[in-house]
Amino acid sequence: MDFLTIIQLLDSTVRLATPLLLACLAGLFSERAGIFDIGLEGKMLMAAFFSAAVAAATGNVWLGLLAGIGSSLLLAGLHGVASITFRGNQLISGVAINFLAAGMTVLIAQDWFQQGGRTPSLIGGGRFTPFDLPFADSLSGVPVLGPVYSELLSGHSILVYIAFLAVPATWWVLFRTRFGLRLRAVGENPAAVDTAGVSVVGLRYAAVMICGLLCGIAGAYLATALQAGFVKDMTAGRGFIALAALIFAKWRPWHAMGACLLFGLLQAIALRFQNIELGGITIPVQAMDALPYVLTVVILAGFVGKAIPPRAGGEPYVKER
Amino acid sequence: MDKMPKWADVVLIPLISLFLAAILSALVILGIGEDPVAAVKLMVDGALGSTYGWGYTLYYATNFMFTGLAVAIAAHAGLFNIGGEGQAMLGGLGVALVCLLIPWPHWTLALLFAALGAGLFGAAWAAVPAYLQAKRGSHIVITTIMFNFIAAAVLNYVLVNLLRPEGSMDPATERFPEAVHLPSLHELLAPIGIEFSKSAPANVSLLVAVGACLFVWLLIWRTPLGYEIRSLGKSEPGARYAGISSVRTIMIAMLISGALAGMMAVNNVMGEAERLVLNATEGAGFIGIAVALMGRNHPFGVFLAAILFGFLYQGGAELALWTSIPRELIVVIQALVILFTGALDNMVRMPLERIFLAMRKGQN
């Protein structure tokens, strides 16, 4: 493997890690506030469809992004109503949202475009174009660092940079602001937050909505930047890999970035190489597919440092007894 | 004191939830420019109007009975087994190995051992998440989701690299031998003079599924083990105080749950396809969640809900065939049923409780 191959591999790692990272941070906000969300997948899928559909219809990718975020927020609101207002089972609500998205996207796509559950391919202004960092061209001649800067760091869509900037932003919001402290407290001990006179319901809705916003960006990235248009079930389990990354990172923003890059790398390797020869042993491509999930189970089992979720996660808060 | 009479909890709430889901589904059909009344008519005709339709409805219902029971029994122990899909995939592998490796003299013997193999493989796939939940407190929902994906990768590997016949491009096993062919409902009913469609896939595993419903009912409500499972599901500290081992009960409940999900493969792999293909489960493991919610985790409820979903599946296929409504309509209906009977249960329950309380006050 030469230097250029490695750069290309890392480049596609960044691209593939971006939707995982956005969804993972989305889940981070929600679960830190005590609302389990296995509906990340569904929200991404819904956003992917609506962003592609609106971008295809208007030719404007920014309108598409807005539509994607809007649809994802709608599903997030549904999750909030079910799991906060009506104190329903958060896991079941997530399952329902995943199926709702899987079905509705194809149903609407077929009704609007009649192309077998996909949107038309996005062209021109309908897609996010690569965004060049300053001096990327002039620096590309510099040995080693040149290609790293111009190939690996530069030339991604704007959403990639937003995703990676969201990591310090998430850290700052959660660990350096009053809102973040309250949000984390509501996931550990909602009764204490309530006693302090802060609305548990309000905080949890805020967290769920932030989750919807980030999932919306993740979905829009999939359909309008990573690929050019929506196809049926295009999230392909990314919402669950993001969930796995979240556990892998033990609900911490910087670690979430590390986990998503790792899982992105696994996806990039699986995409590029079919079977990998490693010292006489052939690693089948299916092993690469399964590895994120296996790693998550190992982490969950607590053999490599125990993953302890927020204490009030999954429990609806009942004010009066 | 109960806030509501039992019949309201068991019958009224599911019916209202189902009604709400039906109204929203009708709105969805209207929204994509089709006529809901005509659609329902077509679905009823296609799924229940002929023995051919019934054959498909019952075939799907058989799958859903197994996966619905799997979710239900785990739910009684307070566990949410979302891994029925993976367990059913592995069950398929068990059936395929039993059918391909051993030359069976008669289908009855083959059925017995295929069911055993399917159950064993399914239970084995549930065993690791169960153990991690019982011993290490790892959340079973997350681990079973992960195991669904791992199962898909394992099956993909086994079919592509190990079980695929020479020279075939299709990632599937070879056809099972003729001797393990399970009699279809046509072959079962013809000797007693009932005409049943020849080409419908419903087969003798329907009886196995009904037997499984009976078995689960007996187990849950008529055995000490069932009592332990239910106590654990109601209150873990309470169960522990009564001397019930939570580790043992979680393990047993999940193993039975995994075995039931795995046994679905007797129907779809052995009874219908007669070979193991990729994605043989077609999401039936997830429909089990809707079926168990709808059926209130009671075997008889699961039986009825499975037939309802069988009808929706076959009806949906007919819709896709004759109209421009895609098959995904069923997925939407399934989502709405899960939403209303599961997550939004309190939305129906809270006002009803208030009404019943007000009525009782009026009487006193």
Side-chain angles (χ1 to χ4, degrees):
Chain A
M1 221 187 313
D2 56 26
F3 183 62
L4 200 66
T5 318
I6 293 177
I7 290 284
Q8 280 170 355
L9 199 62
L10 292 179
D11 183 57
S12 95
T13 299
V14 169
R15 282 171 212 280
L16 291 166
T18 298
L20 300 179
L21 182 56
L22 284 164
C24 186
L25 294 174
L28 183 72
F29 273 102
S30 185
E31 302 214 343
R32 276 285 185 164
I35 304 289
F36 279 157
D37 194 351
I38 54 177
L40 298 173
E41 174 93 357
K43 289 199 274 280
M44 276 164 80
L45 191 63
M46 203 63 134
F49 169 69
F50 276 99
S51 61
V54 170
T58 62
N60 186 334
V61 69
W62 292 99
L63 286 180
L65 176 65
L66 275 185
I69 291 174
S71 63
S72 171
L73 283 177
L74 215 62
L75 286 184
L78 181 62
H79 189 53
V81 168
S83 55
I84 305 170
T85 305
F86 288 112
R87 295 177 211 143
N89 187 319
Q90 298 164 7
L91 301 165
I92 293 176
S93 167
V95 171
I97 283 170
N98 286 339
F99 283 125
L100 201 58
M104 287 304 280
T105 48
V106 177
L107 226 53
I108 301 175
Q110 182 60 23
D111 186 39
W112 287 0
F113 303 106
Q114 280 99 28
Q115 295 190 1
R118 52 168 66 226
T119 62
S121 289
L122 299 175
I123 38 164
R127 273 193 81 189
F128 278 104
T129 41
F131 179 81
D132 283 322
L133 294 179
F135 314 117
D137 271 342
S138 48
L139 285 176
S140 63
V142 179
V144 184
L145 285 181
V148 167
Y149 185 74
S150 63
E151 294 283 325
L152 180 55
L153 296 180
S154 172
H156 295 288
S157 87
I158 183 91
L159 296 183
V160 172
Y161 301 107
I162 291 180
F164 281 88
L165 286 177
V167 177
T170 301
W171 174 82
W172 186 78
V173 167
L174 280 181
F175 296 98
R176 286 296 177 274
T177 66
R178 181 184 299 200
F179 171 73
L181 176 67
R182 288 173 173 174
L183 191 137
R184 282 181 293 132
V186 96
E188 296 289 337
N189 190 345
V193 177
D194 203 12
T195 315
V198 182
S199 163
V200 173
V201 170
L203 272 170
R204 286 194 163 171
Y205 263 106
V208 166
M209 284 309 183
I210 296 173
C211 170
L213 170 78
L214 290 169
C215 280
I217 302 176
Y221 172 79
L222 275 181
T224 61
L226 193 64
Q227 285 161 37
F230 172 87
V231 289
K232 178 183 165 185
D233 285 329
M234 76 179 302
T235 41
R238 283 191 175 88
F240 293 108
I241 297 189
L243 208 60
L246 182 60
I247 295 161
F248 205 74
K250 298 176 189 166
W251 295 270
R252 292 170 299 185
W254 288 106
H255 295 75
M257 188 177 83
C260 289
L261 282 172
L262 173 67
F263 292 171
L265 176 66
L266 291 178
Q267 287 188 339
I269 294 174
L271 262 181
R272 194 176 170 101
F273 310 101
Q274 271 301 300
N275 297 314
I276 299 157
E277 305 278 348
L278 210 78
I281 309 165
T282 315
I283 304 173
V285 64
Q286 291 92 350
M288 304 300 289
D289 291 339
L291 203 52
Y293 308 111
V294 175
L295 285 176
T296 305
V297 171
V298 171
I299 286 283
L300 266 173
F303 296 123
V304 197
K306 203 159 170 53
I308 301 167
R311 190 140 50 105
E315 294 288 323
Y317 178 62
V318 186
K319 201 183 183 100
E320 72 279 357
R321 280 277 169 207
Chain B
M1 184 178 73
D2 286 338
K3 287 175 182 161
M4 272 192 294
K6 197 159 180 250
W7 64 267
D9 185 42
V10 176
V11 180
L12 196 57
I13 292 182
L15 281 184
I16 294 177
S17 304
L18 197 63
F19 180 66
L20 288 173
I23 288 184
L24 276 184
S25 308
L27 288 179
V28 169
I29 298 177
L30 269 180
I32 56 172
E34 297 276 342
D35 177 8
V37 177
V40 170
K41 234 182 178 156
L42 193 63
M43 285 175 84
V44 171
D45 256 10
L48 310 175
S50 61
T51 58
Y52 174 80
W54 269 103
Y56 267 96
T57 299
L58 291 176
Y59 162 72
Y60 290 124
T62 309
N63 284 343
F64 304 155
M65 276 178 217
F66 281 118
T67 54
L69 287 174
V71 176
I73 199 161
H76 276 292
L79 304 164
F80 186 14
N81 178 13
I82 199 166
E85 187 75 4
Q87 289 144 18
M89 279 184 209
L90 264 284
L93 190 57
V95 166
L97 290 179
V98 167
C99 288
L100 287 173
L101 295 183
I102 304 168
W104 296 101
H106 193 255
W107 65 266
T108 43
L109 264 180
L111 175 62
L112 187 69
F113 281 90
L116 208 66
L120 270 179
F121 271 63
W125 207 245
V128 179
Y131 178 82
L132 292 178
Q133 167 79 54
K135 275 283 190 194
R136 323 235 5 143
S138 324
H139 206 302
I140 198 150
V141 171
I142 306 290
T143 44
T144 46
I145 290 177
M146 300 299 137
F147 266 70
N148 281 341
F149 286 102
I150 302 172
V154 166
L155 205 65
N156 193 327
Y157 177 77
V158 169
L159 283 181
V160 171
N161 298 34
L162 304 179
L163 286 181
R164 188 169 49 139
E166 289 276 320
S168 157
M169 287 303 288
D170 198 15
T173 66
E174 57 185 314
R175 259 195 115 66
F176 297 161
E178 195 51 38
V180 304
H181 167 76
L182 292 182
S184 66
L185 281 195
H186 168 77
E187 288 152 351
L188 283 178
L189 293 177
I192 48 172
I194 302 172
E195 265 311 311
F196 201 86
S197 166
K198 254 183 205 165
S199 44
N203 57 72
V204 69
S205 2
L206 174 64
L207 302 179
V208 183
V210 174
C213 289
L214 270 174
F215 164 78
V216 170
W217 178 78
L218 277 174
L219 177 81
I220 292 285
W221 278 285
R222 289 292 179 274
T223 65
L225 178 64
Y227 178 75
E228 289 177 10
I229 290 177
R230 280 183 295 132
S231 326
L232 183 78
K234 288 262 188 273
S235 159
E236 192 178 340
R240 221 167 355 174
Y241 186 68
I244 295 167
S245 155
S246 66
V247 172
R248 177 174 166 272
T249 314
I250 288 176
M251 284 303 292
I252 293 178
M254 274 308 287
L255 288 179
I256 297 174
S257 173
L260 282 168
M263 278 167 72
M264 181 196 113
V266 170
N267 186 43
N268 69 337
V269 176
M270 194 176 175
E272 203 253 344
E274 305 200 356
R275 62 188 192 137
L276 181 61
V277 295
L278 267 183
N279 193 24
T281 47
E282 291 180 316
F286 295 115
I287 294 165
I289 300 167
V291 167
L293 282 170
M294 183 79 233
R296 283 287 183 268
N297 295 328
H298 190 287
F300 186 63
V302 167
F303 174 78
L304 290 180
I307 291 179
L308 175 74
F309 270 89
F311 155 73
L312 283 178
Y313 246 63
Q314 170 55 14
E318 290 284 319
L319 274 187
L321 198 61
W322 300 111
T323 70
S324 61
I325 305 175
R327 258 198 101 144
E328 276 71 16
L329 177 68
I330 328 164
V331 181
V332 175
I333 296 178
Q334 179 193 338
L336 291 171
V337 169
I338 295 179
L339 194 64
F340 282 104
T341 58
L344 288 175
D345 184 61
N346 277 334
M347 189 177 82
V348 178
R349 185 177 298 268
M350 284 171 177
L352 265 187
E353 280 179 354
R354 236 169 279 143
I355 293 172
F356 275 105
L357 275 179
M359 275 165 54
R360 194 171 299 164
K361 262 189 202 134
Q363 280 168 2
N364 291 342

